[in-house]
Amino acid sequence: DSGVTQTPKHLITATGQRVTLRCSPRSGDLSVYWYQQSLDQGLQFLIQYYNGEERAKGNILERFSAQQFPDLHSELNLSSLELGDSALYFCASSVTGGAGEDEQFFGPGTRLTVL
Amino acid sequence: GESVGLHLPTLSVQEGDNSIINCAYSNSASDYFIWYKQESGKGPQFIIDIRSNMDKRQGQRVTVLLNKTVKHLSLQIAATQPGDSAVYFCAERGISNFGNEKLTFGTGTRLTIIP
């Protein structure tokens, strides 16, 4: 158990809908990272928040957004969902904000299925 | 969360033998590399890392080798055990299109330990 929690574990929805994925980092970690793992793209970095502010951005679609709240939990919002958004979405957390040297601890993921 | 059924390179190794997993990275400016292990039903887990000013680093039963000349990274697992069966990803730290640091993951290799 990494100490990172994600809810829900599974999510099934329809095209055009909007969903929110939630992540609680390990106690004491200030950074939260979101990743998408799909069949054809592997593990892709989406976005990072550090202590409530956006810190780094990957190839995140404009239909996707995220935020980190004062209690440091984070939400990833996916809107106007398409079939291709079906994937596993992982959250990771780390103590500080360095993308690499600060070990990232991954949650168990949320499996999103868009029908 | 479960491992995505990617069409990954696969490697089967007899229990007790050594295994070598290879990874080619893309960015010659990458300065930090990490190996992750992803077991079925879990998120990626940090195994070992190496900075670009090193060519070898050892952990418990694992060794990472870095060849910057050919942009190649390898993970050696000694005396493999059934619990080593997983998907293994390499990741490199570089600069994203947005000018910030980010980790880029390889496609992964599925290692199966044969009892």
Side-chain angles (χ1 to χ4, degrees):
Chain A
D1 184 1
S2 66
V4 178
T5 60
Q6 290 186 248
T7 57
K9 190 174 176 65
H10 300 280
L11 194 51
I12 301 174
T13 188
T15 54
Q17 295 299 304
R18 171 189 168 96
V19 297
T20 297
L21 312 183
R22 183 187 169 102
C23 169
S24 292
R26 293 186 324 153
S27 177
D29 285 0
L30 298 178
S31 268
V32 170
Y33 308 78
W34 285 99
Y35 292 87
Q36 179 192 58
Q37 188 175 41
S38 60
L39 281 172
D40 59 350
Q41 295 286 333
L43 199 62
Q44 300 280 317
F45 168 68
L46 295 177
I47 197 164
Q48 177 199 357
Y49 276 80
Y50 173 73
N51 204 20
E53 296 190 358
E54 184 181 303
R55 178 71 169 252
K57 207 177 224 185
N59 294 321
I60 186 169
L61 299 173
E62 286 191 8
R63 301 184 285 110
F64 295 2
S65 65
Q67 53 184 329
Q68 186 179 27
F69 295 87
D71 67 353
L72 300 177
H73 90 270
S74 178
E75 292 181 354
L76 179 67
N77 301 296
L78 314 176
S79 62
S80 302
L81 285 167
E82 302 175 359
L83 295 177
D85 297 327
S86 295
L88 273 167
Y89 291 84
F90 287 103
C91 167
S93 74
S94 68
V95 174
T96 64
E101 299 182 40
D102 189 16
E103 182 177 343
Q104 295 183 28
F105 294 85
F106 283 77
T110 293
R111 176 174 283 284
L112 173 66
T113 302
V114 182
L115 301 176
Chain B
E2 54 200 90
S3 295
V4 179
L6 296 168
H7 297 295
L8 301 168
T10 59
L11 175 65
S12 295
V13 174
Q14 203 73 35
E15 182 179 354
D17 287 352
N18 300 333
S19 68
I20 300 177
I21 299 171
N22 297 303
C23 175
Y25 64 92
S26 57
N27 188 352
S28 57
S30 293
D31 63 350
Y32 180 69
F33 304 87
I34 310 171
W35 278 100
Y36 284 91
K37 173 186 181 182
Q38 187 175 17
E39 297 175 271
S40 181
K42 298 182 180 179
Q45 179 184 9
F46 173 96
I47 302 174
I48 192 168
D49 59 358
I50 188 168
R51 294 173 183 264
S52 60
N53 62 352
M54 303 171 68
D55 53 21
K56 180 178 180 179
R57 188 160 190 228
Q58 288 184 292
Q60 187 178 14
R61 286 201 306 118
V62 294
T63 301
V64 55
L65 299 176
L66 175 62
N67 185 331
K68 294 183 287 295
T69 303
V70 295
K71 293 189 287 187
H72 183 268
L73 199 64
S74 68
L75 176 71
Q76 300 177 359
I77 305 174
T80 53
Q81 303 168 357
D84 295 330
S85 293
V87 175
Y88 290 82
F89 296 94
C90 67
E92 59 180 301
R93 181 176 68 178
I95 304 297
S96 76
N97 294 338
F98 301 90
N100 50 251
E101 290 184 342
K102 70 159 192 169
L103 289 178
T104 300
F105 286 79
T107 52
T109 296
R110 188 180 302 278
L111 175 66
T112 301
I113 306 303
I114 304 167

